[in-house]
Amino acid sequence: MADQARARRLAKRIAQIVASALEHEVKDPRLGNVTITDARITGDLRDATVYYTVLGESLDAAPDFAGAAAALESARGVLRTKVGQGTGVRYTPTLTFVPDHVPADARHIDELLAKAREADAEVARQATGAKPAGEPDPYRAPREEDPESE
């Protein structure tokens, strides 16, 4: 079993090699908008999981996850060969491609934060002309003795 630092370095190198190969060597047009986001490798350095995301042709166009997955599956052997040549490890790890849902989750979190900002702005707008329900100063002040009561 390899140490964790070596596994992290190897996973990072695998991500770089796969991204470079997709950009320069694999000629499948379905991989034009694929971005490699991360790679993880098992402790025995035998299996690597490569995370990817797919961007749409434009901001309004939906990304083609099915086409990208099929293209990555068909290019798996070429990519594994490139990883074997680029890493120099004794056993070239098998590659598994998994779509990365982090960008979609980040977009959802941004939408939730925007809703929270709108709700805070609405509360602040309503609070501008509001008066306290009780006394203006709700904290107890020290008792002041009346000189007449003595």
Side-chain angles (χ1 to χ4, degrees):
M1 187 138 174
D3 63 285
Q4 291 181 354
R6 180 174 181 218
R8 279 194 304 271
R9 284 193 312 268
L10 184 61
K12 187 175 180 181
R13 181 71 183 133
I14 288 171
Q16 291 171 346
I17 292 169
V18 170
S20 177
L22 289 178
E23 185 176 354
H24 299 294
E25 296 171 23
V26 179
K27 301 296 182 197
D28 196 332
R30 298 175 291 181
L31 296 175
N33 295 326
V34 172
T35 303
I36 302 300
T37 56
D38 194 16
R40 304 276 168 91
I41 194 161
T42 58
D44 61 357
L45 307 180
R46 298 277 178 143
D47 299 308
T49 304
V50 179
Y51 295 93
Y52 68 94
T53 185
V54 183
L55 304 175
E57 293 291 328
S58 66
L59 291 176
D60 298 332
D64 183 18
F65 281 103
L72 285 170
E73 189 64 34
S74 68
R76 178 190 309 251
V78 172
L79 295 173
R80 185 170 183 224
T81 301
K82 294 294 178 187
V83 167
Q85 292 171 350
T87 56
V89 292
R90 181 181 300 212
Y91 181 81
T92 303
T94 60
L95 299 178
T96 305
F97 294 98
V98 176
D100 194 0
H101 297 291
V102 171
D105 293 343
R107 192 174 320 110
H108 179 68
I109 289 172
D110 286 341
E111 291 170 1
L112 291 175
L113 288 172
K115 285 181 185 178
R117 275 189 228 102
E118 291 173 7
D120 287 346
E122 178 65 24
V123 168
R125 187 185 60 75
Q126 289 178 354
T128 55
K131 295 181 182 176
E135 298 176 15
D137 186 15
Y139 300 104
R140 290 189 182 178
R143 273 192 190 174
E144 297 178 10
E145 298 292 327
D146 286 335
E148 299 172 1
S149 61
E150 292 178 7

